[in-house]
Amino acid sequence: MAASKVLTGARVVLPTGIVDGGRVIVDGTRIADPGTAAADAETIDATGHWLVPGFVDIHNHGGGGASFSGTADEVMTAVRTHRAHGSTTLVASTVTDDMGILTKQAGLLSELAEQGEIAGVHFEGPFISPCRKGAHSEALLRHPDPAEVRKLIDAARGHAKMVTLATELPGGIDSVRLLAEHGVIAAIGHTDATYEQTVEAIDAGATVATHLFNAMPPVGHRAPGPITALLEDERVTVELINDGVHLHPAALELAFHHAGAARVAFITDAMDAAGIGDGRYMLGPLEVEVAEGVARLVEGGSIAGSTLTLDRAFQRAVTVDRLPVEDVVAALSTNPARLLGLDDRVGSLEPGKDADLVVLDQDFALKGVLRRGEWVVDPQLG
């Protein structure tokens, strides 16, 4: 059982705003009501630091040299890597592969979801456009036949959280309806859809833009494309990869301006090299070269996910992009938690929720991670 703790003196980001000199009381694995600290609670002076909710990553393929397409041990290596960077809740994303391999992996990941290690499964592919495949094997792509989509949902045993589809492909709209009926997020991505086709998919139940701007047609003045439709519709949450590589700062600003802070979810789209460094890696069946932190396919040179961790995304958003801290917390924690239907447990520092929080210094560098009342990264407050 996690010991009781009282963290005092920090700038605490709450749903109601920022509290200077605030405190967070942790009772076991949960955040407790103010003024209810146990007599033997450990007091931690966090003066000069920020306390923010643990990050929620809804799109992540791996890290620490391991992949969510690997063995259970490899999956946990990736999970622990991202936890150490503040992602206390994450969804494991697969990449395009043979359907038999994907259904088998879904079974493995569902077991880890049942154990509370991950928050569910995101299938990115194989139901995507060969025109916008990015770092996915074209030979393994297929149309989003609802029967095939249903196989993946069933294989995940109730833990399928999201499926990325090119909804303009044959079966795409029917698959969106199927996913919506089963409570699985239909995400539009790796798509060559027109504006009108994207609107149709949103009306059918699609609610997420997979890494907006990336792997989709650009905005045109006569062909506004999917980006315009996804930004303008209040039903859609847009994923953004804020690593300084995938998006120009002006594109990030455009998304925040048009979607608003309540509709943005920062993601990593991380692959094995996150938390490790440059070198050769595999992303599904494809070989990737990471140089100076940028992952690209060895064959063809397409960007192949990222080496991002969400603590770096937070720091960049505040210090480079000059976004308000409250908006960054929403994009990293509150919004993705709500999207997953987990906002009764995670995503904000409120009594009764899991004691998941991140300690940041005045420069927004990570200095501690608490998950369910236990320190994943011991606080460094000197």
Side-chain angles (χ1 to χ4, degrees):
M1 182 69 173
S4 296
K5 305 171 184 64
V6 182
L7 292 91
T8 65
R11 303 192 76 187
V12 183
V13 182
L14 301 174
T16 52
I18 297 171
V19 177
D20 289 320
R23 69 177 191 164
V24 175
I25 299 171
V26 175
D27 184 10
T29 62
R30 303 280 181 176
I31 298 172
D33 288 315
T36 61
D40 60 348
E42 176 189 8
T43 298
I44 300 167
D45 183 2
T47 300
H49 292 76
W50 292 83
L51 298 183
V52 301
F55 309 141
V56 180
D57 194 354
I58 62 172
H59 187 157
N60 186 322
H61 296 281
S67 166
F68 289 129
S69 296
T71 66
D73 285 345
E74 289 169 338
V75 169
M76 286 309 302
T77 293
V79 167
R80 285 189 287 268
T81 297
H82 285 281
R83 280 184 191 164
H85 289 275
S87 294
T88 50
T89 301
L90 60 82
V91 173
S93 301
T94 62
V95 295
T96 295
D97 214 323
D98 178 80
M99 283 292 290
I101 292 174
L102 288 174
T103 55
K104 182 179 179 181
Q105 192 65 17
L108 182 153
L109 292 172
S110 67
E111 291 180 9
L112 293 172
E114 288 160 7
Q115 296 166 20
E117 301 290 359
I118 60 174
V121 185
H122 163 218
F123 298 100
E124 188 181 23
F127 312 115
I128 61 176
S129 172
C131 302
R132 305 284 175 177
K133 65 182 184 300
H136 291 256
S137 172
E138 185 169 356
L140 295 170
L141 300 182
R142 57 181 62 214
H143 291 159
D145 179 347
E148 297 283 89
V149 174
R150 180 64 187 267
K151 286 180 184 178
L152 294 185
I153 297 173
D154 291 345
R157 302 200 302 265
H159 297 288
K161 289 294 183 180
M162 185 161 65
V163 177
T164 292
L165 311 93
T167 54
E168 76 277 7
L169 294 176
I173 297 300
D174 287 340
S175 291
V176 168
R177 294 193 181 103
L178 172 75
L179 291 166
E181 288 169 3
H182 286 81
V184 180
I185 297 163
I188 300 173
H190 288 276
T191 177
D192 205 39
T194 64
Y195 173 88
E196 291 77 13
Q197 289 170 328
T198 306
V199 169
E200 182 185 10
I202 296 168
D203 287 340
T207 57
V208 165
T210 294
H211 43 55
L212 186 75
F213 299 108
N214 301 119
M216 58 183 64
V219 176
H221 63 293
R222 292 193 183 93
I227 294 169
T228 305
L230 293 162
L231 280 176
E232 72 182 9
D233 198 301
E234 294 183 356
R235 294 170 290 182
V236 176
T237 298
V238 298
E239 295 181 348
L240 298 175
I241 308 171
N242 192 26
D243 61 353
V245 175
H246 281 78
L247 297 176
H248 189 283
L252 183 85
E253 183 180 1
L254 178 75
F256 264 90
H257 177 75
H258 286 279
R263 288 178 46 216
V264 171
F266 280 145
I267 61 164
T268 60
D269 194 18
M271 45 78 71
D272 299 24
I276 294 291
D278 293 353
R280 289 270 179 127
Y281 299 87
M282 298 300 295
L283 183 62
L286 302 178
E287 191 172 14
V288 175
E289 176 81 29
V290 179
E292 297 182 357
V294 180
R296 294 185 180 276
L297 290 182
V298 171
E299 185 176 340
S302 291
I303 292 179
S306 84
T307 60
L308 186 63
T309 52
L310 284 184
D311 58 327
R312 287 169 45 214
F314 194 118
Q315 188 175 40
R316 179 181 177 84
V318 178
T319 63
V320 176
D321 303 309
R322 301 296 180 184
L323 293 172
V325 173
E326 304 98 307
D327 290 354
V328 178
V329 167
L332 282 165
S333 303
T334 312
N335 300 342
R338 182 177 62 247
L339 188 68
L340 295 174
L342 299 176
D343 51 328
D344 61 331
R345 287 183 33 227
V346 299
S348 60
L349 299 178
E350 296 179 273
K353 294 192 177 182
D354 289 354
D356 294 354
L357 61 82
V358 177
V359 183
L360 305 170
D361 67 15
Q362 295 183 45
D363 297 319
F364 300 97
L366 184 143
K367 294 297 178 181
V369 180
L370 190 74
R371 182 177 186 269
R372 298 181 184 173
E374 299 281 0
W375 289 110
V376 175
V377 176
D378 288 332
Q380 304 161 44
L381 304 174

